[in-house]
Amino acid sequence: MHNIFNLVTVNFGSILIKLAFCFLLLIIAEPAYAQLEIYGKFRDGGAFEPVIDYNGTKVINDKFSIIYFGLIRKTWGQALISLSYSPTKKISFSAGMGMEHGSDSPRYTASFSTRGEQTTLLVLVELGSGKSNYLYKMNLFHQYTDQFTLGATAWRYHGLGPNFRLLMPMLQTTLWALPAYDLDAKYARLILGVSLKI
């Protein structure tokens, strides 16, 4: 009984420390830019999975920013905080860590992005506990008009395919669609989403 009490106390204490740490960083990182994104993953047979994520950026100076990201879906969630470094206005690197649902191990993240006049590239990786617990996301976008952007996305647990984006400036909202083939699950799906600037 004493061992069970110690185990519960240690786990509860570590969870409180993590939550306090995240809360402190969120207060410090009051966003200069924030976005709420809601999307659904659809596939044959009526299967549907909703996902909600939120990310914010607080600029420290012209080189450094704090980025935080949270995601929740039916069976899993995560929260990550990163430090971003931009050696030039067109290139950024970030690295950070956080926590994920169902694990006491940290989750790590790193990314690289570059921005041209109309073309952007993002490469992002995440690593949790266990060798198969990783995520990658690559976006290559070209903005054809003020409202329309077309790109290609490779995203683990989502798929590989073209990514269509339509900006609605008056609402500060982007509607997007990603018809994709999931390389891990071996089936096609359609992902429809809306991104809202906050």
Side-chain angles (χ1 to χ4, degrees), residues 28-190:
I28 293 169
E30 181 182 334
Y33 164 82
Q35 174 180 280
L36 175 67
E37 186 169 63
I38 302 165
Y39 64 92
K41 302 193 306 189
F42 301 86
R43 68 182 175 93
D44 287 344
F48 167 71
E49 181 185 10
V51 182
I52 299 172
D53 68 51
Y54 177 81
N55 67 75
T57 301
K58 172 65 175 178
V59 175
I60 299 171
N61 57 38
D62 61 346
K63 300 285 187 192
F64 292 96
S65 300
I66 295 173
I67 301 169
Y68 57 89
F69 174 81
L71 178 144
I72 187 165
R73 60 184 208 213
K74 187 175 181 180
T75 58
W76 189 77
Q78 67 174 11
L80 302 168
I81 298 175
S82 303
L83 180 64
S84 174
Y85 171 65
S86 301
T88 72
K89 289 185 176 181
K90 295 185 176 182
I91 296 174
S92 294
F93 300 91
S94 76
M97 63 184 293
M99 59 184 164
E100 63 181 302
H101 176 77
S103 174
D104 286 334
S105 300
R107 186 169 182 88
Y108 301 97
T109 182
S111 71
F112 164 78
S113 65
T114 181
R115 295 172 292 282
E117 289 293 319
Q118 292 156 318
T119 304
T120 61
L121 171 68
L122 167 72
V123 178
L124 178 142
V125 293
E126 293 178 11
L127 179 63
S129 65
K131 63 181 182 179
S132 66
N133 186 0
Y134 67 91
L135 176 116
Y136 59 81
K137 183 178 184 180
M138 292 173 274
N139 283 334
L140 177 62
F141 287 118
H142 184 78
Q143 185 175 349
Y144 286 92
T145 70
D146 289 344
Q147 283 78 40
F148 180 68
T149 299
L150 175 62
T153 295
W155 193 359
R156 190 171 191 216
Y157 303 122
H158 295 72
L160 172 66
N163 196 322
F164 305 90
R165 296 189 169 247
L166 180 63
L167 175 64
M168 303 173 70
M170 293 189 68
L171 301 174
Q172 294 192 354
T173 299
T174 300
L175 304 176
W176 57 275
L178 171 62
Y181 183 77
D182 190 322
L183 300 172
D184 292 310
K186 309 285 191 227
Y187 54 71
R189 61 162 53 104
L190 175 63

